[in-house]
Amino acid sequence: MSKEFVIGAKVRLVTLPPYVKTADPMPMLRPPDILEVGEEGVVLDRRPGGYWGIRFAKGAFLMDSQYIEAIDTVTTE
């Protein structure tokens, strides 16, 4: 059961994966400490294998939906 996100939507990293993969044409593995839990990014695209291309401040990475959540831009009280 995978979550669906809208291209251009803001997301937040909720858990660090064991490693992160860059969203380059030839992806490279990076240590997970390049990102921090709570860091926000923007959904770039949907990739094969259930990955999402996410643009964070330190670059674009491929993330599985279990590691990210959508950020509600509208808050109601």
Side-chain angles (χ1 to χ4, degrees), residues 11-34:
V11 294
R12 178 182 300 120
L13 189 61
V14 292
T15 308
L16 283 178
Y19 58 85
V20 292
K21 189 184 287 190
T22 63
D24 299 327
M26 181 167 283
M28 296 177 62
L29 297 180
R30 297 283 184 217
D33 61 358
I34 197 167

Side-chain angles (χ1 to χ4, degrees), residues 5-70:
F5 299 100
V6 178
I7 305 302
K10 291 183 98 177
V11 294
R12 178 182 300 120
L13 189 61
V14 292
T15 308
L16 283 178
Y19 58 85
V20 292
K21 189 184 287 190
T22 63
D24 299 327
M26 181 167 283
M28 296 177 62
L29 297 180
R30 297 283 184 217
D33 61 358
I34 197 167
L35 299 173
E36 296 179 13
V37 171
E39 195 163 341
E40 297 180 1
V42 176
V43 178
L44 298 174
D45 56 11
R46 179 79 161 136
R47 300 286 178 98
Y51 290 99
W52 293 92
I54 310 289
R55 166 73 60 196
F56 291 102
K58 295 182 181 170
F61 298 94
L62 300 178
M63 305 297 296
D64 193 340
S65 20
Q66 68 181 343
Y67 301 114
I68 53 177
E69 69 179 2

